[in-house]
Amino acid sequence: MVNWEKVAQPAKAARAALSYEVIATAAIEVADAQGLDAVTMRKVAEHIGAGAMSLYRYVDSRDDLITLMVDRVSAEATAPPPTGDWRADLTAAAHRIRQVTLRHPWLARHALNAEDFGPGTLAMTESTLALLDGHGLDSGEMLDAWRTLLAFVQGHAFAEARRHEARQRRADESETGAPGPSFLDKAAESGEYPLSTRALREAPRPTDPRDAFDRRLGHVLDGLAQAFFERGRR
């Protein structure tokens, strides 16, 4: 388990070349470039130019290293101050989380337990709960609403990043030869999956991925409104 009080201490001069910040930054760079599975103590040490065993003076395991990474990246997703309009506030928070997840898609693959929360994760959580506070929700309801929003945004952004990678891969492959018919093309011709193939082929394809995100985020916010914010009107 990460000792967050120790993480907050300034690096000793003799070890200034290696610190929690240096290690976390290197690990994030490896994950951003090669994915979370590429993050190992040895790989991160090589990225820094240090020996793998030197990292163990700071983190006990790969799990602790990933916890440190997630905490650093979570700080980037701190929500803007509340305006009092919960829907506008959550929309702004959702867009910030989306941008962070698009920069670091591996973030959506790792879920932290409460005991793993560090200062960055707590700052992000506190800032988002502040958007929900004062609207008649108890603590459990605020946490449910927050987790619902976070799960949607991170899942959507992770899928968005994967689709972008797939399009880029297909574009690269098309330069080497004409692609054959896809499985979806063959499935459509077979007639076995009429609803799926029609939905996938006829669904509007926005030129800006943000359009699809905004539309689906609206569905989530409508659900939160009915579940938590409009109870007094029923």
Side-chain angles (χ1 to χ4, degrees), residues 8 24 39 41 51-52 56 81 96 100 121 126 132 176 180 183 192 196 207 233:
V39 176
M41 302 292 267
Y56 286 99
R96 183 163 293 186
V100 172
T121 317
E126 182 74 14
L132 297 163
T176 62
F183 181 75
E192 293 185 48
S196 299
T207 54
R233 302 178 188 175

Side-chain angles (χ1 to χ4, degrees), residues 88-148:
D89 289 343
L90 289 185
T91 297
H95 277 281
R96 183 163 293 186
I97 297 166
R98 171 179 174 263
Q99 289 302 322
V100 172
T101 308
L102 288 175
R103 287 197 298 269
H104 313 288
W106 52 268
L107 182 64
R109 288 187 52 194
H110 189 76
L112 286 179
N113 296 315
E115 57 267 22
D116 293 325
F117 276 31
T121 317
L122 281 172
M124 181 264 289
T125 304
E126 182 74 14
S127 67
T128 311
L129 291 178
L131 309 180
L132 297 163
D133 192 29
H135 293 284
L137 282 67
D138 61 33
S139 296
E141 290 170 335
M142 287 196 297
L143 199 58
D144 273 351
W146 161 223
R147 284 176 171 166
T148 298

Side-chain angles (χ1 to χ4, degrees), residues 55 191 193 196 224 231:
L55 268 63
Y193 311 96
S196 299
L224 293 178
R231 291 172 300 185

Side-chain angles (χ1 to χ4, degrees), residues 54-99:
S54 64
L55 268 63
Y56 286 99
R57 295 201 303 265
Y58 297 85
V59 289
D60 294 333
S61 65
R62 180 178 182 271
D63 286 344
D64 285 352
L65 176 59
I66 293 174
T67 297
L68 191 64
M69 294 163 57
V70 172
D71 189 71
R72 292 299 173 105
V73 170
S74 294
E76 299 176 23
T78 301
T83 66
D85 182 339
W86 71 265
R87 192 174 183 113
D89 289 343
L90 289 185
T91 297
H95 277 281
R96 183 163 293 186
I97 297 166
R98 171 179 174 263
Q99 289 302 322

Side-chain angles (χ1 to χ4, degrees), residues 128-205:
T128 311
L129 291 178
L131 309 180
L132 297 163
D133 192 29
H135 293 284
L137 282 67
D138 61 33
S139 296
E141 290 170 335
M142 287 196 297
L143 199 58
D144 273 351
W146 161 223
R147 284 176 171 166
T148 298
L149 183 73
L150 182 64
F152 162 73
V153 177
Q154 287 194 330
H156 193 284
F158 181 73
E160 189 178 330
R162 294 296 298 270
R163 284 193 295 270
H164 176 75
E165 292 173 2
R167 284 193 296 269
Q168 185 61 53
R169 187 168 56 250
R170 286 194 296 269
D172 294 340
E173 291 171 352
S174 67
E175 295 179 359
T176 62
S182 68
F183 181 75
L184 181 61
D185 293 330
K186 297 176 182 178
E189 292 175 1
S190 74
E192 293 185 48
Y193 311 96
L195 296 177
S196 299
T197 54
R198 186 168 72 246
L200 290 170
R201 288 187 159 189
E202 295 179 4
R205 298 181 181 277

